[in-house]
Amino acid sequence: MIGNWSAAAVRTSRSLWTSAPVTYGLITLCCALFLIGPAAGLNPAYGSGDALLAAQRAYFHRWGVVPAELFEGSARATLTPATALFVHGSWIHLLGNMLFLYVFGALTEERMGRLQFLLFYLGCGYLALLGYAAANADSEQSLVGASGAISAVLGAFLYLFPDARITSLLPFLFFLPLRFPAWVVLPCWAALQWLAAGRASHGPGVAYLAHLVGFGLGFLFAWVRFAHTTRVKAAPAAAPEGEKQP
């Protein structure tokens, strides 16, 4: 999905696996935890029907963020913005998040370095969920998912690789794949999150505010940390066979 890189940024698929172990480790861990947990519906230990639904609710409550409980001061609750980053509520939730992490995480990790990227991911993810909880302090709904952390990766990617070409599928153009630079695609994505956050209810659903907080934190971190370094820009042209396609 990302192509037209300068020679300094071009990597083969094999080298990306070795140069971005944190990104692929996070993807592997999230997928493994999902498969053995109740949300996947594959583990017979959780039963089926009503028993499975009860197990899912208990699981999300234990490992997810419950805003009404977070600020009560218990040690367990203060850890939940971290544990919730590795819990997903459905197959679509998991696959959507992992796709975004796969596309934007590897190059961001290469640019930041492994340890810094890991701390950045966990820290921004924690603060994104904390920000959502603070804005919905009375909510008793469990919040799970890596969206806040991955949104931070998107924000950092926008600063670090503004000219990277991203293949986008636009519904109103019959999902015709079109390539746009990151400085076009990612601000539009953030604007959609802003509009959705303004219409979101306090019940179950997507935590758009966590996306916005994470995106802003990620961009701010990259701006402060890499303000005096050269950002990677796209090469003026590339052969079609050299581009990565979805």
Side-chain angles (χ1 to χ4, degrees):
M1 296 180 73
I2 303 172
N4 294 348
W5 295 103
S6 65
V10 173
R11 297 290 186 272
T12 64
S13 298
R14 179 175 300 176
S15 66
L16 278 176
W17 276 96
T18 57
S19 61
V22 173
T23 295
Y24 298 113
L26 289 169
I27 292 173
T28 301
L29 180 58
C30 286
C31 290
L33 292 174
F34 179 80
L35 291 174
I36 64 176
L42 300 177
N43 191 337
Y46 293 105
S48 60
D50 292 340
L52 178 60
L53 292 176
Q56 291 174 350
R57 287 192 293 268
Y59 186 80
F60 297 150
H61 186 272
R62 179 179 182 182
W63 300 111
V65 178
V66 181
E69 299 178 1
L70 180 59
F71 301 105
E72 292 179 352
S74 72
R76 189 199 68 81
T78 58
L79 292 175
T80 56
T83 59
L85 297 175
F86 302 95
V87 180
H88 290 83
S90 68
W91 283 95
I92 293 177
H93 189 201
L94 172 76
L95 295 176
N97 276 353
M98 295 306 100
L99 174 62
F100 272 75
L101 182 55
Y102 173 79
V103 171
F104 297 100
L107 287 171
T108 305
E109 178 184 345
E110 282 192 278
R111 188 70 175 86
M112 290 186 178
R114 298 174 184 177
L115 179 59
Q116 183 172 218
F117 178 77
L118 177 61
L119 295 176
F120 159 80
Y121 181 92
L122 296 175
C124 288
Y126 187 102
L127 292 175
L129 295 182
L130 188 66
Y132 176 88
N136 300 273
D138 296 329
S139 174
E140 296 183 355
Q141 296 290 337
S142 299
L143 177 64
V144 298
S147 301
I150 296 171
S151 296
V153 174
L154 267 61
F157 189 96
L158 173 60
Y159 182 83
L160 296 172
F161 306 102
D163 296 322
R165 308 291 291 187
I166 301 172
T167 299
S168 304
L169 302 178
L170 305 178
F172 59 87
L173 292 179
F174 304 101
F175 296 97
L176 179 69
L178 298 174
R179 297 176 64 76
F180 299 100
W183 63 265
V184 172
V185 175
L186 295 181
C188 287
W189 175 87
L192 291 175
Q193 305 306 300
W194 177 274
L195 293 174
R199 299 180 179 180
S201 65
H202 296 290
V206 179
Y208 295 105
L209 180 59
H211 299 178
L212 289 170
V213 173
F215 187 85
L217 288 172
F219 187 89
L220 181 62
F221 175 86
W223 176 47
V224 172
R225 176 64 180 83
F226 298 97
H228 302 294
T229 61
T230 302
R231 289 187 281 178
V232 177
K233 295 186 177 182
E241 61 271 20
E243 297 184 352
K244 298 180 183 179
Q245 296 297 331

